[in-house]
Each structure stands twice: as C-alpha cells, then as structure tokens.
Amino acid sequence: MNLKIAVLAGDGIGPEIMEQGVAVCSAIAEKFGHEVSYKEALCGAHAIDEVGDPFPDETFQTCKQADAVLFASVGDPKFDNNPSAKVRPEQGLLAMRKKLGLYANIRPVETFDCLIHKSPLKDEIVRGADFICIRELTGGMYFGKKVEPTVNADGVEEALDTNYYTRPEVERILRVGYQYARARRKHLTVIDKANVLASSRLWRKVAQEIEKEYPDVTTDYMYVDNAAMRMIQDPKFFDVMVTENTFGDILTDEGSVITGSMGLLPSASTGSSTPVFEPIHGSWPQGRGLNIANPLAQILSVAMLYEYFGLNKEGALIREAVNASLDANVRTPEIQAEPCSEKYGTKEVGAWIVNYIRRA
Ligand code: IPM
Ligand code: MN
C-alpha cells in the first residue's frame, strides 16, 4: 500500500515522541512492503510563533492531500493563564477537527497488566477494563454560538456557549458507535443529560429510533453524572460508549487515568476527510528536550493508523512490540519497574521497539 502521511509534531514533547512514532511507522512499512512518505507541517504554539496562526492554510492543505495525519500534541504554558490571548494553540486543534470534518473521536481505554498498580483504582475493579469512548468532535458547545465575557445593558458581565446539535450530527455519530459495538461485545451505552438538557433529549430521541436497526446490540442509556460514577465503580460495565463533545472530553480524561497508563493511550479522529491519529495525553512542556517522555501512545497511534486502513497484521506487530518492551522493563522513567539495571529514555524505548519489529 502507498501511504502519504502528514506529520504534525506540534509543541512540548511532541517532536520527540513523533520521531519515535515515525521510526516505528517506517520499520513496519519496510517489513510489510508498504511505501510510506511523510510531509511535516506546522501547528500549535509553534505555528503561532512562526506564522501567527495555530493551523495555517498550508498545514490544512498538507493534511487534506494526505491519506492520514499523525499528530503529536499542542499547547504551551505561555498561553494557559491568559484568557485574553487573541490566538491560542488549542484553536489549531479545533480548526483541524472542523476543517477536516473529524466528527468521530475514538478513544480506547484499556489496561496493561503490568501497569495496573499505577491506577488510582483497586486492582480487582480495574483489571480487565476495556472499553471505547466514541466522542462527537465537531459539534456541541465547542462550536456553538459564543459570546465572550462582555458587560451587558444592566452593567453585569456575561458570557455564553451554546450546546447546539442537529439530527444528522447525532445520527452519524451514533452509527459509528453501533459499528464499533458490533465489532466488539455488542453493548452500546448512550451517555447524555436528557433529564435536564434539550440537546440531550434530541440525542436520546434519535438513539431510541435508530437502536431498532441494531437489534444485535444491547443499547442502554445513562446520564453523564451517573456514567462518571460508574466508570470508577465498575469500569468493566462498559464496552462502547457514545456521547457529545463536552461530556466526551471530560469522561475520556477520567477513562485515561483510571487505567494507570495515560502515556500509553492512542486515539483516532475520523470523519469526512483525512483521519488523524494522536496520543490522548498533552504536550507536557516541562518534559521537553529531556528524553523522558513516553513514546508509546504515539507509537500505538501508528498502530491505529495502520488498522484504519485494514492493515491489521501491521497493527498487531506494533502492539506485540510495545507489550514486549513493557515486559522487558524497557520503559521510560515514570513506569519503569524497580530494581532495574538500566535506564531508558524516549529514544531508547523507540529504538528497542524498532529493533523488535525488524527482527520479528
Ligand atoms: C482533548 C483536549 C482538547 C479538547 C483541547 C486541547 C482543546 O482536551 O483533545 O481532549 O478539549 O478537545
Ligand atoms: Mn480533553
């Protein structure tokens, strides 16, 4: 297969983990006889500094012309506590999602046995948890009408975000949820706040209609507050969950941390144009340049990329190599088991995995 990949390394630890992701991608291509070419493009704080725009048009064109985007992370502390900054790196990410029509964000939450002790939950509660959150990514409050903080006619400061959804937006994401559920344990949980929010009542109405088309899948409905609770009490309850943009943002942070392995979780965003594959974690500016960032989420994002194109053996070999590196305790400092005779950084973990793939 020929694959053109747009490489958006972004900020913080992004470039370092991306280097390892690309190395693994190339090792797999070589092994299985694929032609992969890469084109780098600017995004995030980096792009603001260089061209004044966190998602420049040139980057958009590079993404549009590619078969897939491999993305690392964006964000820089100099923007974080400045609510009046005119442009911020996160806008680049949102622009990318909107312009590429990436309405479905697929976030698998799985545990790695050797890292269960890192979970804030008890072993017996979390061991074996394995679910996917399908988060709607181009609608809701993120993109609805906004009024930035402003003083109104009564002299009171006000602001507004609108949680707007249309039936087609809800329907297409629910169908993505059903497709994933069908390929897994056939259990879909629709998460909303239909007891309070009108937008959630639309979600529930549409879901109750289309669930009839998927009689092989068990559908249940859960309010988001209850889902947040259930996720820590009994994460094994879930198989596939589907929810709106803001709820999905919050629930997936919770999901990623209960596994104890946030640095290992990849994600995919798909829709009407080029799909994007990226780690769930952020840009960790404090870790930049120290060769300590965990490259595994980036490397597993490459596995998701190959699997998206139906190249399941390629994906499986990456997963096997990652598991082998963990078993061999070839791990970055935050997850390395003691005692250990050797220390490994971002580069060493990446190189070990590349080597494993070459020798397989
Ligand atoms: C995420 C992030 C983004 C979001 C931010 C960086 C805009 O938290 O991908 O979950 O809120 O969607
Ligand atoms: Mn988030």
Side-chain angles (χ1 to χ4, degrees):
M1 187 177 236
N2 272 321
L3 283 175
K4 277 194 288 190
I5 301 182
V7 174
L8 275 56
D11 307 319
I13 56 168
E16 291 163 69
I17 57 174
M18 183 60 88
E19 197 182 323
Q20 304 313 318
V22 165
V24 167
C25 192
S26 298
I28 288 285
E30 214 168 287
K31 179 110 202 159
F32 289 88
H34 303 301
E35 277 301 322
V36 178
S37 62
Y38 305 97
K39 190 161 178 201
E40 290 182 15
L42 291 174
C43 70
H46 205 66
I48 299 177
D49 291 343
E50 290 201 20
V51 297
D53 181 346
F55 190 65
D57 193 57
E58 204 181 324
T59 300
F60 174 46
Q61 298 305 333
T62 302
C63 293
K64 237 177 34 180
Q65 284 152 21
D67 298 304
V69 177
L70 194 58
F71 186 95
S73 53
V74 294
D76 191 290
K78 70 182 175 204
F79 296 94
D80 284 348
N81 290 315
N82 178 8
S84 53
K86 286 265 169 325
V87 280
R88 39 184 70 249
E90 290 79 4
Q91 286 166 348
L93 189 56
L94 299 181
M96 178 176 77
R97 291 171 180 171
K98 198 64 176 178
K99 289 187 168 172
L100 293 175
L102 303 170
Y103 61 84
N105 184 214
I106 320 296
R107 296 189 166 182
V109 175
E110 50 176 327
T111 52
F112 291 80
D113 283 349
C114 62
L115 297 178
I116 295 268
H117 65 284
K118 295 264 174 195
S119 171
L121 301 185
K122 289 195 194 102
D123 184 315
E124 66 268 25
I125 289 180
V126 76
R127 189 179 292 271
D130 171 16
F131 60 90
I132 294 190
C133 181
I134 314 273
R135 167 187 175 195
E136 200 291 326
L137 204 57
T138 51
M141 267 197 283
Y142 274 65
F143 295 97
K145 184 178 166 248
K146 280 181 196 295
V147 177
E148 293 298 330
T150 177
V151 177
N152 71 13
D154 301 325
V156 179
E157 197 167 23
E158 62 180 19
L160 173 82
D161 296 287
T162 316
N163 204 19
Y164 176 81
Y165 270 106
T166 63
R167 173 180 281 267
E169 285 175 321
V170 176
E171 194 171 322
R172 68 183 177 184
I173 192 73
L174 286 168
R175 289 192 190 284
V176 174
Y178 276 108
Q179 276 157 21
Y180 275 87
R182 268 196 169 154
R184 292 172 49 97
R185 302 192 299 275
K186 300 191 170 49
H187 175 197
L188 183 74
T189 306
V190 180
I191 295 171
D192 64 26
K193 188 72 187 172
N195 50 347
V196 177
L197 302 177
S199 52
S200 281
R201 286 190 280 274
L202 174 66
W203 273 71
R204 199 167 278 218
K205 187 167 167 227
V206 175
Q208 284 172 341
E209 285 168 27
I210 73 165
E211 74 164 287
K212 300 191 183 83
E213 294 173 40
Y214 301 88
D216 51 321
V217 175
T218 304
T219 306
D220 46 35
Y221 296 86
M222 205 181 273
Y223 297 141
V224 62
D225 46 351
N226 189 30
M229 194 172 76
R230 192 80 189 248
M231 211 194 275
I232 50 173
Q233 274 181 334
D234 182 19
K236 281 177 267 193
F237 170 82
F238 297 104
D239 176 17
V240 179
M241 56 171 75
V242 60
T243 191
E244 59 129 279
N245 204 343
T246 307
F247 297 163
D249 179 46
I250 298 166
L251 290 177
T252 52
D253 262 30
E254 186 184 346
S256 67
V257 86
I258 62 173
T259 65
S261 33
M262 189 168 188
L264 273 69
L265 298 183
S267 74
S269 301
T270 66
S272 47
S273 179
T274 318
V276 174
F277 302 88
E278 60 176 306
I280 276 183
H281 63 69
S283 60
W284 195 32
Q286 304 80 353
R288 185 168 70 115
L290 302 177
N291 193 38
I292 54 173
N294 191 335
L296 295 185
Q298 189 75 61
I299 290 170
L300 289 168
S301 300
V302 175
M304 282 189 95
L305 187 158
Y306 276 111
E307 285 158 0
Y308 175 88
F309 293 101
L311 302 171
N312 294 331
K313 283 196 188 117
E314 288 78 345
L317 181 55
I318 297 177
R319 291 175 194 280
E320 182 189 316
V322 164
N323 286 327
S325 74
L326 290 170
D327 289 343
N329 201 19
V330 178
R331 310 180 190 171
T332 42
E334 89 290 2
I335 56 169
Q336 197 167 39
E338 302 288 345
C340 48
S341 46
E342 246 178 289
K343 299 274 176 225
Y344 302 93
T346 316
K347 288 193 178 117
E348 291 74 29
V349 171
W352 195 96
I353 289 171
V354 164
N355 241 321
Y356 183 100
I357 290 168
R358 288 202 182 123
R359 287 199 315 257

